[in-house]
Structures are given as C-alpha cells and as structure tokens.
Amino acid sequence: IEPIFFGAAVDVHSVIVLLSLGFFGYIWGVSGMLLSVPLVAVMRLLAKSYADMGSNRRSGEAELMRKLQQVLEGKWMEEDE
C-alpha cells in the first residue's frame, strides 16, 4: 500500500516505486531504499523540465525525455498526444 501512496504523492507509478526500491536497495542498502523515491521523483522532474524545453533542444533528446517521463508516470502504453 505504501508504494501507491508514495507514487501518488510524487506522480510516479507504483511499479516504478517498487522497482526503484529494489534497485537502490541492492546498490546502497537501507539508505538507498530510503532515498529511492526522492531520487526517482527528481529524475521525473528533470525529464519533465528537459522535455518542456524541447523547442531549445534537438527533437530526439526531447522525445527521449518525454518517453522517460511517461515511463516514470506509468503511462508508457498510452498513445502520444
């Protein structure tokens, strides 16, 4: 239940929260598990801001950041806008 609440609070899909808990827990142990959700939230915000600045960037990079943002939000199966 906690990954659902954490994911909803930072707009990250609950499966991504669970995967990040496992990944960062494997890499850094308990401290990695505590930092996993904030790190993924920062990655999502960076991808969102980078994708929003797409007019100033090459379109391939902005598209990659948009896809990363969709994956982190759990919307990777939805159609593009």
Side-chain angles (χ1 to χ4, degrees), residues 2-58:
E2 285 183 33
I4 295 170
F5 290 122
F6 286 139
V10 294
D11 200 22
V12 176
H13 197 269
S14 57
V15 173
I16 301 298
V17 171
L18 288 172
L19 290 173
S20 69
L21 278 170
F23 176 75
F24 289 113
Y26 178 74
I27 300 294
W28 292 326
V30 175
S31 59
M33 293 175 89
L34 292 172
L35 292 173
S36 65
V37 175
L39 286 172
V40 170
V42 167
M43 286 190 326
R44 190 192 69 78
L45 289 174
L46 287 174
K48 181 177 174 26
S49 65
Y50 194 87
D52 290 344
M53 295 183 337
S55 60
N56 299 333
R57 308 270 186 210
R58 290 184 286 172

Side-chain angles (χ1 to χ4, degrees), residues 42-54 57-73:
V42 167
M43 286 190 326
R44 190 192 69 78
L45 289 174
L46 287 174
K48 181 177 174 26
S49 65
Y50 194 87
D52 290 344
M53 295 183 337
R57 308 270 186 210
R58 290 184 286 172
S59 62
E61 293 174 352
E63 183 63 28
L64 178 65
M65 289 298 121
R66 245 181 251 108
K67 291 292 182 187
L68 177 62
Q69 180 185 356
Q70 287 176 343
V71 167
L72 291 175
E73 292 176 355

